[in-house]
Amino acid sequence: MEAFLISTGTVAFAEIGDKTQLLAFLLAAKFRKPWPIIWGILVATLANHALAGALGTWLTSLLSPEILRWLLGFSFIAMAVWILVPDQFSENDAKLVRYGVFATTLIAFFLAEMGDKTQVATVALAAQYQSFFYVVAGTTLGMLLVNAPAVVFGDRIARRLPVRWVRAVASALFAILGIAALLGAGESLGF
């Protein structure tokens, strides 16, 4: 359950102000059909984060516990720094309109998530917790907790959200996870 809750919270904070959240705002403004967009986000995130979770779980079978601990610790600290850098988004990231709302969202979100902060976080969390199901379920829920309201409420949220503050909190969470991993937290899990 810890893997699920930490994955949910970490990705939810990391997603605020991320390029995929900006994509959700753009798709909502363009199509004004929230349900196909939300379903597209769900399916794309499940697929993308399942791949990332599988990679993270697989890495634990390749690396020694000591190397994995250092790799995870520094990865989380790098994420703490990376999250402070605002994402750039262009409308070219969403030029798939001819496929319909659901398919456009599915394709655009899946592609936008490739190599994104939340995908990298999913790899690291899956490696840390060695719990594919709970990590993928948690990171997917975290994505939906941020993106579904962005789709439904759009501009009203964007104007009121203190993105700078949220980035700082997300960065702190990643830094804490990194330091904890470097100090040996999770040794009972085998790394």
Side-chain angles (χ1 to χ4, degrees):
M1 194 58 145
E2 178 184 356
F4 175 76
L5 294 174
I6 288 179
S7 296
T8 301
T10 301
V11 167
F13 274 107
E15 180 64 10
I16 295 174
D18 192 67
K19 71 181 173 188
T20 47
Q21 186 187 38
L22 301 174
L23 177 60
F25 282 125
L26 179 70
L27 292 167
K30 187 172 197 84
F31 293 118
R32 300 189 189 281
K33 293 182 180 181
W35 286 110
I37 295 169
I38 291 170
W39 282 109
I41 291 169
L42 172 64
V43 173
T45 302
L46 276 172
N48 195 289
H49 288 203
L51 290 171
L55 176 62
T57 304
W58 178 66
L59 285 175
T60 61
S61 69
L62 295 178
L63 303 173
S64 72
E66 186 68 21
I67 291 173
L68 186 60
R69 184 181 76 149
W70 287 99
L71 182 64
L72 288 172
F74 287 121
S75 294
F76 282 125
I77 291 170
M79 288 293 297
V81 173
W82 186 12
I83 209 143
L84 294 173
V85 178
D87 279 326
Q88 300 298 318
F89 177 80
S90 73
E91 288 196 34
N92 290 334
D93 292 337
K95 289 204 173 190
L96 304 165
V97 178
R98 65 178 176 219
Y99 299 116
V101 179
F102 173 79
T104 297
T105 303
L106 175 72
I107 294 166
F109 248 79
F110 184 84
L111 294 175
E113 264 301 288
M114 296 302 288
D116 195 46
K117 292 175 200 123
T118 51
Q119 186 189 41
V120 173
T122 302
V123 171
L125 289 163
Q128 180 172 0
Y129 288 102
Q130 299 177 18
S131 178
F132 173 82
F133 176 78
Y134 286 116
V135 169
V136 172
T139 59
T140 300
L141 178 60
M143 290 285 286
L144 287 175
L145 286 174
V146 173
N147 288 310
V151 170
V152 174
F153 301 112
D155 288 339
R156 288 178 275 183
I157 292 174
R159 281 186 252 128
R160 293 192 170 111
L161 195 63
V163 174
R164 218 178 202 166
W165 180 83
V166 173
R167 282 184 191 279
V169 169
S171 177
L173 284 173
F174 278 109
I176 290 167
L177 286 171
I179 291 167
L182 290 174
L183 293 175
E187 285 182 4
S188 65
L189 298 174
F191 57 91

